[in-house]
Amino acid sequence: MKKLLTLATLAVLFVFVGCENEVTLETPDVSYTVSSSDQGATLSLTWDEITDADGYFIYADGEVIDTVTTASYDATTPAALYEVSAYAGDQESGKDAVDCGAVETGSLLVYGSGDPSTDHPSGFGFNAAGNATTYAISDQANWPYIDYWIHSVSANEQEFASPNQASTPFNDEVNTTKNSGQTDYDAVTICDAPGGYISPNTINANAVYYFWIDPDNDGWGTGNDHYGKIQVVGVNGYAVTLKLAYQVIAGLRWCVVD
């Protein structure tokens, strides 16, 4: 009996000592900035060093893509979600996440400005949450909210146009688009850097366009510039159906959808 008690006591002590030696790691508190060196292609992540950590796992959309031993990381792979965790041996902390997914508006029906019905919306704009809304350009109360409008060259030719290009400008914003040369919406994960963006820009069915909202017309920046993508799902006369994704993080050119 005495021998059994001694073995049981040793087992308890072993478990206790084992628990004492386990490392409990704090979860990194991640912050970010958008890199100016490549005009918004990189999201620079930083966090405070975690005591007892051997290093850090970098996750992109749920998959480990890298490990680092410093408390910073330049994320250059466009993704909807980046996460960082600390590790020590086979122990891993919780993950802190940066949501960098573009906000999608799945279907938006806009009409060219030549449409006979003035109640049909020819303008559209994005709210602070990244959702797109259409606006009738016949109502001046809508003008401050318009980021783009559909200009009718003819009944069979429409263009993406900037709000400052209306005969009476809707507002002072100078916003442009660029044909990506692709028709696969999901394959477009990052918008081109400034260069080649124009307004007006001819609308082609099935094409995917980058858009660049540059309200101050002062070049790339992280103040109030925003990027995203538009697919022209269909064109039927004046009616144009769009699918859009808006990057909420100012200056970041990634357009991977959540």
Side-chain angles (χ1 to χ4, degrees):
M1 186 69 162
K2 184 176 180 181
K3 184 175 180 181
L4 290 173
L5 181 61
T6 302
L7 289 174
T9 302
L10 287 172
V12 170
L13 287 172
F14 176 77
V15 171
F16 177 76
V17 171
C19 291
E20 283 288 299
N21 289 334
E22 284 187 4
V23 175
T24 301
L25 297 169
E26 293 182 10
T27 299
D29 184 11
V30 181
S31 58
Y32 64 84
T33 56
V34 178
S35 174
S36 60
S37 63
D38 54 14
Q39 296 180 304
T42 300
L43 196 64
S44 297
L45 310 176
T46 57
W47 56 92
D48 290 335
E49 291 188 5
I50 302 300
T51 303
D52 297 325
D54 294 333
Y56 307 91
F57 290 124
I58 309 299
Y59 291 80
D61 290 337
E63 300 291 333
V64 175
I65 62 167
D66 213 341
T67 59
V68 295
T69 56
T70 58
S72 64
Y73 184 76
D74 282 344
T76 57
T77 301
L81 187 73
Y82 263 86
E83 297 170 294
V84 179
S85 66
Y87 69 86
D90 60 357
Q91 303 296 315
E92 183 179 2
S93 74
K95 305 180 186 76
D96 193 26
V98 177
D99 185 353
C100 35
V103 177
E104 184 174 78
T105 300
S107 182
L108 197 74
L109 182 59
V110 195
Y111 293 82
S113 59
D115 188 272
S117 176
T118 58
D119 291 335
H120 280 168
S122 294
F124 63 94
F126 300 90
N127 63 21
N131 299 299
T133 302
T134 58
Y135 299 98
I137 61 176
S138 57
D139 184 351
Q140 292 192 29
N142 292 330
W143 290 6
Y145 309 109
I146 294 173
D147 292 317
Y148 293 94
W149 60 292
I150 306 296
H151 173 244
S152 295
V153 178
S154 68
N156 298 309
E157 185 179 353
Q158 318 295 332
E159 299 174 325
F160 290 119
S162 179
N164 73 315
Q165 292 177 314
S167 54
T168 301
F170 303 133
N171 57 58
D172 295 331
E173 290 190 19
V174 181
N175 303 327
T176 52
T177 61
K178 183 178 182 179
N179 194 324
S180 71
Q182 301 189 55
T183 57
D184 186 345
Y185 174 84
D186 292 329
V188 176
T189 60
I190 184 169
C191 300
D192 277 1
Y197 285 80
I198 60 173
S199 183
N201 199 352
T202 301
I203 293 173
N204 296 312
N206 302 316
V208 179
Y209 295 79
Y210 313 121
F211 68 79
W212 175 18
I213 296 176
D214 180 20
D216 302 322
N217 195 27
D218 58 356
W220 178 88
T222 57
N224 52 6
D225 287 15
H226 288 273
Y227 286 84
K229 61 184 176 182
I230 304 171
Q231 178 151 44
V232 181
V233 177
V235 179
N236 183 9
Y238 290 111
V240 181
T241 303
L242 308 174
K243 180 163 66 171
L244 313 94
Y246 175 95
Q247 176 53 249
V248 176
I249 298 174
L252 188 64
R253 293 189 279 114
W254 297 358
C255 51
V256 181
V257 175
D258 278 323

